Amino acid sequence: MSACVRIRHDHTAHTSPPSRASGIKRPHSPPPPRRGGRFRIAGADLSASITVFLIAVPMSLGLAVAMDAPLEAGLISAAVGGIVAGLLGGTPLQVSGPSAGLTVVTAELIQIYGWRTTCAITIGAGLLQILLGSLRAARGALAVSPAIVHGTLAGIGVAIALAQLHIVLGASPQSSAAANALALPEQLGRTSPAAPLIGALTIAVLVVWPRLPGRIGRAVRRLPAALASVAIATAVAAVAAPGITRVDLPSWRSHALPELPQGPVLALATAVLTVLLVASLESLLAAVAVDKLTADRAGGRTADSSPPAPDAPAAPRVQRSDLDRELRGQGIANVLAGLLGGLPVSGGAVRSSANVRAGATGRAATVLHGVWVLLAAGLLVTALEWIPLAALAALVMVVGFQMVNYAHIRNVHKHREFLVYGATITGVVLFGVLEGVAIGIAVAVAVALHRLARTRITVTDQGGQHLVVVRGQLTFLAVPRLSRALGQLPRGGDAVVELDGFFMDHAAYETIQDWSDAQTAQGGHVVFTGRSGGRIAEPASAAHSCCRPWTPWRNHHCHDRPDRSGQPVDARRAAATGAAFALEENPRADQGPAGSAGAEADARAVDAADAADAAAGSTGRSDTPGDGAAVPRRTGAHRLASGLSSFQRNTAPLVRDELARLAREGQRPSQLFITCADSRLVTSMITASGPGDLFTVRNVGNLVPPPGAEAGDDSVGAAIEYAVDVLKVESITVCGHSGCGAMQALMGTRPDTPRTSLWRWLRHGLPSLERMTSRHHAWARISGRLPADEVEQLCLTNVVQQLDHLRAHESVARRLAEGALQLHGMYFHVGEAQAYLLAEGASAGSGVDEVFDRVGPCDPNHSHPYDITDLSDPTSLTALGDPGDHAAVSVPTGAAGPADPTGSGELERTSA
């Protein structure tokens, strides 16, 4: 059993049970009363809020300048986004404010409809966001192809950069990205040096600030690069260019509020949908990326996947995002921002990443940042009016360049979707956001259809045997060419059909299957292979066993009961799903007659089988065709004989050579595996092991009697001695499981319990029961949550206690002292098919942390394709861009998916 997971040490365990005041409850005690929803402010949240505030003020003013909106509108949106979305949103660490992705859209709306109507459009988009969030449609927004999403953001970034470049050059931007690009040469010819130099200084500080070396550099880098660049540019402009154009904040008395929208209804509806689409996508993608960044922080990982320091404090745990709540919170914030005359609001990647990196632990940091912005809008007007517009424009221009992420380009190119990405960028830049998204979707559909229909078929004569090579997907569009190619082969001849594709529809499947049957009937021999030449398994015959030879553990219901036709119901279902099991074990099997088309056709057979079961009722029997009499279930003897026959027919030919080798060489297992006799634990399946891998001991309750126990308990001790001294195993694993009947019986033991054989055996578990109730041992627990109930608590504690018994055996103690043996504790949750390993210190008996950590999959590509960047750290602009760049980062704990309801950020999922 190889567990490809790094066990994290949880240094938060208590050496003694906590008091009632701690709020931690024993697994069999009533839950503590929930405290009122008090707003707690930690020191880390206070410092993080100041950091985000120092980034948000120049960013908000810069985006207002880019949109040609009232400057105070940017501050209003930053305050509303921080306070309202921070309190009501579903992502605690996400910071909302003026939307960079809506810069081009909002600027166009202001130019066409005016400022007050644009505010009304923002209100309409917010109402639709509330509606979609209430309908739980947030997850659906993430179904858009990443190439289209990244292409849209990149196109917006190009448009932002072109527009702000004109302001950096001391002029005003044009009405569209294309016009800005065409007017650029003329603008360069009549530019005064003051504004470009201030803009260049701002960009230089942005780039250099995070790279300042030495102790002084580390100290000054605590100030965000965005604030430092604007502050330095402002100071230089005050001395060297006093006449440069600066921020002009009008009086709040003249601030414009929304009015009823005026204009064509269809155009206004399109505008509302555009704002809705871009703001929602930007917020939801940022929320997903914040989850990933938070999980990396919780796991002690940084952008470069460097391990945490051994003495580093544990990162705070943050609740996982609720995307529907986040969408509703963004909608409410947009409604209020529009009513107050602010810019559209969305979750911001720059501000959110800065918030996470600054150590924020909850909503307090986001809300406080909004409070600081609100105070600055009222008290720091004079200071803000010293900022040069060129500095703000340069700041926003860098944001635009960051939205064109090289990691995204490389990723979509790797997946052969660059055409979709490029078409989306071009459409956004030339025509607008909504038009660009529509163009991207159209190109994506065209590319998918082209790939689906592109099939190359060649036939080669290899001296009496014909080779048919099929490249691409087999759909009904390729059936005419496929039929012509197969028709050219001599009837009754031998042929090899090489299939290189991942999809075959029903029409193509029937064409190949009918031709293969005809060739075989006329004396020919047909072999189906994949591109590598490996033979693809043929479909299960009705006359053969119902179950696939590579899934013998699935056979336990194949011969239970017949259906109306006399065939066993579960046998028929297993035959129907045989192709699906083939795909599970043989990734190329979907390219043959037993492939995806077979699975597609057989899925309907499964539905038919289920319908027949429903018609027959749930009485545990099926009726015969004629008289309706009940047919009894197969007896144990029949089931055993059927299973053995199935093994001899299907599985034995596959494993005979390996078993013959083991018979010649003898067994050399590397592990002793001690587990419960429970029938639901299939040790070879959950450990992905085969013959000769595990020396297994199974007993009721996975108990290890200590040395010197009463007579009659020598069997387990003998197995341990044989495994350690004779077989020289390298590790011993004690594996408990959920819902253990032995632990339930142990908890129900009373003084008057009859002294049966079961009782005499379970007395070896009494130390586990005493350990669980003792106040001198830390509670064994699953990382990220307390045990579900007292039975699960005892199951976990029992594993730890049996490891103590194991270490008391002389042979085990000797090998441990030599460093030639390792002990492992394991817990398997049957209902979740989820394995947990005990922390190394507790397994070795040298630690106090009795924590079972979830085992995760060894797949480096489970990171989310979306990223966020930190403007205050240009070195991390592509840190999270390409999942392929982070082989060391597994699925973040907390974004992990349905198997981690706690969202704690500590657990990783396993697949056997």
Side-chain angles (χ1 to χ4, degrees):
M1 176 183 65
S2 61
C4 40
V5 65
R6 182 182 67 185
I7 301 300
R8 301 193 186 96
H9 297 284
D10 186 354
H11 297 285
T12 62
H14 299 279
T15 56
S16 61
S19 63
R20 293 180 180 272
S22 66
I24 301 177
K25 68 183 184 72
R26 290 178 178 269
H28 50 278
S29 64
R34 296 189 62 182
R35 300 184 179 183
R38 292 188 295 173
F39 190 74
R40 297 182 175 273
I41 301 176
D45 290 331
L46 182 61
S47 61
S49 70
I50 296 175
T51 300
V52 179
F53 159 72
L54 296 177
I55 295 175
V57 170
M59 282 287 297
S60 301
L61 294 174
L63 290 174
V65 170
M67 299 177 191
D68 197 23
L71 298 186
E72 66 272 17
L75 299 177
I76 290 174
S77 294
V80 171
I83 298 173
V84 178
L87 285 174
L88 303 179
T91 310
L93 298 188
Q94 176 157 282
V95 182
S96 301
S99 170
L102 281 169
T103 301
V104 178
V105 176
T106 307
E108 184 178 358
L109 293 178
I110 294 173
Q111 185 178 9
I112 296 175
Y113 300 108
W115 170 244
R116 301 182 68 180
T117 298
T118 301
C119 291
I121 291 173
T122 301
I123 296 173
L127 292 173
L128 286 181
Q129 283 182 310
I130 297 173
L131 175 63
L132 292 178
S134 302
L135 295 177
R136 300 186 177 277
R139 285 285 175 186
L142 299 180
V144 182
S145 168
I148 297 175
V149 173
H150 294 317
T152 301
L153 296 178
I156 293 172
V158 170
I160 290 174
L162 288 173
Q164 297 312 294
L165 183 56
H166 282 271
I167 299 179
V168 171
L169 295 176
S172 299
Q174 304 297 316
S175 59
S176 66
N180 283 323
L182 294 176
L184 198 56
E186 179 183 355
Q187 181 61 40
L188 289 172
R190 53 185 177 87
T191 297
S192 60
L197 289 176
I198 293 298
L201 175 63
T202 305
I203 296 174
V205 175
L206 276 172
V207 174
V208 173
W209 193 261
R211 296 178 172 85
L212 292 176
R215 182 179 300 176
I216 298 178
R218 288 195 299 271
V220 299
R221 283 201 302 266
R222 296 179 181 177
L223 191 67
L227 179 66
S229 62
V230 172
I232 293 175
T234 301
V236 172
V239 176
I244 194 172
T245 306
R246 303 177 188 277
V247 168
D248 181 17
L249 285 173
S251 171
W252 287 103
R253 295 178 181 178
S254 61
H255 181 64
L257 297 177
E259 65 178 3
L260 290 176
Q262 299 177 2
V265 175
L266 182 59
L268 290 172
T270 302
V272 171
L273 291 177
T274 304
V275 173
L276 167 71
L277 173 66
V278 178
S280 300
L281 275 178
E282 189 175 15
S283 297
L284 295 176
L285 297 183
V288 172
V290 167
D291 275 350
K292 182 184 186 304
L293 195 61
T294 306
D296 288 346
R297 185 185 70 176
R301 296 187 295 269
T302 58
D304 58 356
S305 297
S306 58
D311 57 349
R317 300 175 184 175
V318 181
Q319 182 181 2
R320 190 182 173 197
S321 294
D322 181 343
L323 295 184
D324 293 305
R325 178 179 174 181
E326 178 64 28
L327 192 57
R328 292 194 298 270
Q330 294 292 333
I332 296 172
N334 270 312
V335 170
L336 290 179
L339 289 172
L340 296 176
L343 298 173
V345 171
S346 72
V350 174
R351 293 168 295 230
S352 300
S353 63
N355 193 38
V356 175
R357 296 177 193 278
T361 63
R363 302 179 185 275
T366 302
V367 176
L368 284 177
H369 126 272
V371 173
W372 307 146
V373 172
L374 194 61
L375 293 176
L379 303 178
L380 300 179
V381 173
T382 303
L384 296 177
E385 288 182 339
W386 279 92
I387 301 175
L389 287 182
L392 295 179
L395 180 67
V396 178
M397 186 171 67
V398 172
V399 174
F401 282 128
Q402 290 175 4
M403 295 172 73
V404 186
N405 195 316
Y406 174 72
H408 295 162
I409 297 175
R410 183 175 57 185
N411 196 29
V412 297
H413 183 268
K414 180 174 64 178
H415 291 89
R416 297 187 299 171
E417 292 184 323
F418 185 78
L419 181 61
V420 179
Y421 181 84
T424 306
I425 292 180
T426 304
V428 170
V429 171
L430 296 181
F431 306 108
V433 175
L434 204 59
E435 293 84 352
V437 171
I439 291 173
I441 292 175
V443 173
V445 172
V447 169
L449 291 176
H450 173 72
R451 291 175 179 173
L452 196 61
R454 184 182 180 186
T455 308
R456 290 172 294 175
I457 304 172
T458 59
V459 179
T460 306
D461 188 354
Q462 297 183 333
Q465 185 183 64
H466 288 79
L467 174 64
V468 181
V469 180
V470 181
R471 297 279 187 267
Q473 317 322 317
L474 279 173
T475 66
F476 65 93
L477 299 174
V479 166
R481 282 181 293 152
L482 180 63
S483 298
R484 284 196 301 269
L486 296 178
Q488 295 174 5
L489 303 181
R491 296 185 177 181
D494 295 341
V496 176
V497 181
E498 180 180 310
L499 303 174
D500 179 23
F502 59 83
F503 179 77
M504 178 192 301
D505 71 2
H506 192 66
Y509 167 78
E510 285 193 342
T511 300
I512 292 181
Q513 188 64 54
D514 292 344
W515 170 80
S516 175
D517 292 343
Q519 288 289 96
T520 304
Q522 296 176 12
H525 180 64
V526 180
V527 176
F528 294 93
T529 70
R531 187 172 189 176
S532 61
R535 180 168 179 172
I536 297 177
E538 305 226 351
S541 170
H544 262 239
S545 169
C546 60
C547 296
R548 291 311 219 178
W550 44 78
T551 57
W553 65 273
R554 180 73 175 174
N555 292 358
H556 64 303
H557 283 314
C558 285
H559 310 282
D560 275 357
R561 54 193 174 91
D563 66 352
R564 297 176 187 276
S565 63
Q567 184 184 8
V569 172
D570 289 311
R572 179 167 45 85
R573 181 175 293 107
T577 56
F581 284 104
L583 297 183
E584 178 182 332
E585 295 294 328
N586 181 3
R588 310 297 300 179
D590 57 334
Q591 296 163 340
S596 64
E600 177 183 335
D602 293 337
R604 289 191 288 270
V606 176
D607 295 338
D610 292 338
D613 293 344
S618 57
T619 59
R621 63 180 179 83
S622 297
D623 297 334
T624 56
D627 55 8
V631 177
R633 294 172 61 90
R634 297 286 186 116
T635 64
H638 283 120
R639 185 180 300 174
L640 174 64
S642 298
L644 293 174
S645 176
S646 177
F647 168 80
Q648 295 300 144
R649 179 172 57 251
N650 297 316
T651 308
L654 301 179
V655 300
R656 184 171 286 117
D657 292 342
E658 176 66 12
L659 291 178
R661 182 188 67 79
L662 291 173
R664 292 191 306 269
E665 300 175 0
Q667 64 167 325
R668 297 177 183 176
S670 61
Q671 303 173 63
L672 168 60
F673 199 80
I674 303 175
T675 189
C676 186
D678 193 294
S679 63
R680 297 167 294 182
L681 283 183
V682 184
T683 56
S684 60
M685 180 178 67
I686 66 176
T687 60
S689 56
D693 290 340
L694 298 181
F695 188 73
T696 306
V697 173
R698 305 188 68 155
N699 60 57
V700 175
N702 48 275
L703 300 178
V704 179
E710 298 178 16
D713 298 324
D714 291 336
S715 175
V716 176
I720 294 172
E721 182 179 341
Y722 183 79
V724 173
D725 291 338
V726 179
L727 299 179
K728 304 293 183 183
V729 295
E730 300 171 358
S731 68
I732 304 178
T733 300
V734 176
C735 175
H737 66 96
S738 62
C740 182
M743 298 299 103
Q744 296 178 27
L746 191 61
M747 295 194 67
T749 301
R750 298 189 304 272
D752 58 345
T753 301
R755 297 316 192 244
T756 63
S757 298
L758 178 60
W759 180 89
R760 286 191 292 273
W761 172 252
L762 288 181
R763 74 187 185 280
H764 298 301
L766 291 176
S768 301
L769 189 60
E770 296 171 359
R771 186 189 190 104
M772 186 184 77
T773 57
S774 170
R775 302 187 64 86
H776 302 290
H777 292 89
W779 288 330
R781 64 192 188 280
I782 294 178
S783 179
R785 66 173 174 87
L786 290 174
D789 51 34
E790 56 185 350
V791 174
E792 187 172 52
Q793 173 71 78
L794 183 57
C795 292
L796 298 173
T797 303
N798 182 58
V799 172
V800 181
Q801 182 64 37
Q802 300 313 311
L803 287 174
D804 285 351
H805 291 177
L806 195 58
R807 279 187 286 269
H809 283 259
E810 179 183 356
S811 56
V812 174
R814 183 178 65 254
R815 289 285 302 281
L816 287 174
E818 296 171 355
L821 182 66
Q822 292 182 338
L823 303 185
H824 302 292
M826 176 179 166
Y827 176 74
F828 186 76
H829 196 291
V830 177
E832 297 176 356
Q834 178 64 61
Y836 299 86
L837 284 180
L838 183 61
E840 292 180 357
S843 292
S846 59
V848 297
D849 296 344
E850 299 175 3
V851 180
F852 288 78
D853 285 317
R854 178 179 299 183
V855 181
C858 294
D859 186 352
N861 297 318
H862 274 59
S863 55
H864 203 280
Y866 305 115
D867 71 335
I868 58 179
T869 56
D870 184 2
L871 184 61
S872 63
D873 184 7
T875 61
S876 67
L877 297 184
T878 60
L880 302 176
D882 188 355
D885 292 341
H886 304 281
V889 181
S890 61
V891 176
T893 65
D900 185 8
T902 63
S904 65
E906 290 189 33
L907 309 181
E908 294 177 318
R909 188 166 178 76
T910 184
S911 59

